[in-house]
Amino acid sequence: MSREILTVVETVSNEKGLNPEDIFEAIEEALVVSTKKRVYTEQPEVAIRVEIDRETGDYDTYRYWTVVADEDHEMPACQLAISDLDENEWTIGDVKEEQIESIEFGRIAATQAKQVIIQKIREAERALTADAFEPRIGEMMYGEVKKQTRDGYIIDLGDNAEGYLSRDQMLPREQLRAKSRINAILYHVNRDNRGAQLLLSRTSPDMLIALMNKEVPEINEQIIEIRGVARQPGVRAKISVKTNDHRIDPVGACIGMRGTRIQAVQSELDGERIDVIVWSDDPAQYIISALEPADVSSIILDEDAKTADIIFTANDQLARAIGAQGQNVRLASELTGYKLNMMLEEEYLERQQNETKAYLDLFYNRLEVDEDLAQALVDIGFTSIEEVAYVPADTFYDIEGLDDDAIEMIQERAKEVVIADELVKQQNMKEPSKELLTMDGMTTDWAYKLAQRDIITVDDLAEQAVFDIEGIEGLDEKTAGELIMKARESWFNEE
């Protein structure tokens, strides 16, 4: 019996390259399972341990109990109450054990040991694969299509490593055949014991970056830098580049002689159209370049809000900037990080007139100043009562006819209006319930904004649909759905 165990350990260790200690532990675990099934069928919670002598293969079996407080004594099969023992000898947390008769390492125990060993081998192999590939996340892998599954493809990466390319990480209309060769980005390594381990993507922006590195030597040599990428996989992409050598045209280098370099990348990406633009640290110039081939008439930036009004003089240029199904402006916005508002010149002028009128009415009615002073406040750039109330007094010196006393009076009046508005706001503010405020995943800001929509309690939230709470800043569709499902847990618990 002891020789049998040592033989199993030696054989599996040599064949699978597994640490002998892991195999001993697997056999001990299998003997515990077998002992419980054969001796303690009616007490599955019983605590058993098996100890194998690593030199001789002999083993002993022990049953043990954990000492617990009287109020925690719920499982007599594996617990002992402190009051039943000599308190001078035992304390809570101690383990009392006694040796019991060991079962033989027979066919059943061997089979169970084999299953445990196989599982440990798989775990060890997955750990080795994860250790080898985790540093390579973001790297382009080259492999052969091994087989198709219901939701994707298994890719043979060589050296007994396999990647998984799911359909949602493939280009639209892309079809792969067995034995065909393919490039893909390794974007995640799954260390869990379930599911595919090496996850691949052909839609990731890193895929385009890796292909450009491959086809453009200047990028690989860091003479040219890739500063940004935006993709609609398989359809269109924008990539911004910067040269570290003023003698080299970064766009020309990326496109190549007669477009050979960029065509090679496009061919790999199923004909995806790629716009190469020059990166600029001037946001306005960067946005204008990102909207090519459209000609921008003028641009008004709000760098704090990360928004830009893009103005065009002709309809055809506006249409070109927007692109088919909004494709061009969407990619330009993603590339630059700015929300882009596209409009014709007449639309912009009309909006300016409406805004000016709104500001005039605001100052005339709320501050009770005459029309000329209201117009003067608008002309020097005021857009809110708060600005009038709290800017430095010298800001008003450009308005003719205002002395320090008049400026002080205007600012005091503005402060009174701001304070009055805040009081009204506080009086009308609805308070979310304590349960809503403390619900898992909820933030204080979201809770108060929900309360303004009459969603006061957790039950109120449970009755909402995702579209009912959309539009709250920072609360995306996925998170909104998760919060609603969390609120509905009480429904299921009641059942």
Side-chain angles (χ1 to χ4, degrees), residues 327-345:
Q327 184 187 89
N328 194 57
V329 66
R330 185 169 59 251
L331 291 174
S333 178
E334 183 181 340
L335 185 69
T336 60
Y338 276 75
K339 180 181 179 182
L340 307 180
N341 305 312
M342 322 289 283
M343 63 191 76
L344 289 170
E345 194 169 31

Side-chain angles (χ1 to χ4, degrees), residues 177-208:
R177 296 181 179 179
K179 301 294 184 182
S180 59
R181 309 292 291 180
I182 190 171
N183 292 307
I185 288 292
L186 175 65
Y187 74 91
H188 181 65
V189 174
N190 176 21
R191 282 189 174 271
D192 296 337
N193 289 324
R194 298 183 63 183
Q197 187 168 20
L198 305 180
L199 303 182
L200 305 176
S201 172
R202 284 174 56 77
T203 62
S204 165
D206 288 339
M207 181 71 186
L208 177 54

Side-chain angles (χ1 to χ4, degrees), residues 285-299:
Q285 183 56 52
Y286 191 26
I287 291 169
I288 290 170
S289 298
L291 287 170
E292 292 176 355
D295 292 328
V296 175
S297 174
S298 56
I299 179 170

Side-chain angles (χ1 to χ4, degrees), residues 390-403:
Y390 298 111
V391 296
D394 58 12
T395 308
F396 296 86
Y397 289 167
D398 290 336
I399 300 178
E400 188 176 349
L402 282 187
D403 57 21

Side-chain angles (χ1 to χ4, degrees), residues 129 133 136 139-146 153-165 181-186 188-189 197-200:
T129 301
F133 281 88
R136 300 177 67 184
E139 186 179 322
M140 189 162 66
M141 302 281 126
Y142 184 59
E144 182 180 281
V145 178
K146 187 173 182 179
Y153 293 85
I154 304 296
I155 310 298
D156 184 356
L157 302 176
D159 295 327
N160 295 320
E162 292 182 347
Y164 183 68
L165 180 64
R181 309 292 291 180
I182 190 171
N183 292 307
I185 288 292
L186 175 65
H188 181 65
V189 174
Q197 187 168 20
L198 305 180
L199 303 182
L200 305 176

Side-chain angles (χ1 to χ4, degrees), residues 117 314 392 404:
I117 291 167
D404 288 342

Side-chain angles (χ1 to χ4, degrees), residues 205-450:
D206 288 339
M207 181 71 186
L208 177 54
I209 292 172
L211 288 171
M212 293 296 291
N213 266 286
K214 178 183 174 185
E215 297 295 336
V216 184
E218 291 86 348
I219 294 177
N220 196 37
E221 295 166 6
Q222 299 182 345
I223 297 171
I224 295 174
E225 293 180 39
I226 296 176
R227 299 303 299 265
V229 174
R231 286 186 72 190
Q232 184 177 346
V235 182
R236 189 171 182 180
K238 288 182 180 288
I239 182 168
S240 60
V241 293
K242 170 183 178 291
T243 180
N244 292 321
D245 185 340
H246 68 277
R247 296 170 299 178
I248 294 179
D249 170 22
V251 174
C254 290
I255 292 174
M257 186 72 68
R258 298 181 182 176
T260 52
R261 291 177 173 177
I262 204 69
Q263 285 171 11
V265 176
Q266 290 174 326
S267 176
E268 175 66 36
L269 298 178
D270 200 25
E272 184 173 316
R273 176 183 168 184
I274 301 169
D275 300 333
V276 183
I277 67 168
V278 177
W279 178 85
S280 173
D281 56 5
D282 176 1
Q285 183 56 52
Y286 191 26
I287 291 169
I288 290 170
S289 298
L291 287 170
E292 292 176 355
D295 292 328
V296 175
S297 174
S298 56
I299 179 170
I300 295 90
L301 282 180
D302 184 338
E303 293 193 47
D304 293 330
K306 287 286 185 178
T307 62
D309 293 334
I310 317 296
I311 302 160
F312 299 88
T313 56
N315 271 312
D316 62 333
Q317 294 303 320
L318 175 61
R320 189 175 293 179
I322 294 173
Q325 300 177 341
Q327 184 187 89
N328 194 57
V329 66
R330 185 169 59 251
L331 291 174
S333 178
E334 183 181 340
L335 185 69
T336 60
Y338 276 75
K339 180 181 179 182
L340 307 180
N341 305 312
M342 322 289 283
M343 63 191 76
L344 289 170
E345 194 169 31
E346 53 264 33
E347 292 177 80
Y348 177 72
L349 293 174
E350 183 180 351
R351 192 181 76 172
Q352 288 292 94
Q353 290 172 355
N354 291 337
E355 288 179 354
T356 299
K357 185 177 184 305
Y359 298 145
L360 284 170
D361 291 343
L362 175 68
F363 299 141
Y364 179 76
N365 293 319
R366 301 299 306 280
L367 295 181
E368 299 177 356
V369 298
D370 60 37
E371 292 183 2
D372 289 340
L373 182 51
Q375 182 65 59
L377 292 172
V378 172
D379 289 344
I380 64 173
F382 285 111
T383 60
S384 70
I385 303 292
E386 289 85 351
E387 290 177 357
V388 176
Y390 298 111
V391 296
D394 58 12
T395 308
F396 296 86
Y397 289 167
D398 290 336
I399 300 178
E400 188 176 349
L402 282 187
D403 57 21
D404 288 342
D405 290 339
I407 293 171
E408 183 179 357
M409 183 184 68
I410 292 170
Q411 289 200 291
E412 286 300 321
R413 192 177 300 167
K415 288 175 183 176
E416 290 173 2
V417 172
V418 171
I419 292 170
D421 288 347
E422 185 61 31
L423 287 172
V424 170
K425 181 180 177 182
Q426 290 180 5
Q427 289 170 358
N428 293 333
M429 184 174 288
K430 297 178 180 179
E431 290 281 337
S433 69
K434 181 179 179 181
E435 291 75 17
L436 186 67
L437 277 166
T438 57
M439 191 181 86
D440 287 348
M442 182 64 67
T443 69
T444 302
D445 183 50
W446 291 344
Y448 274 93
K449 287 177 179 176
L450 288 170

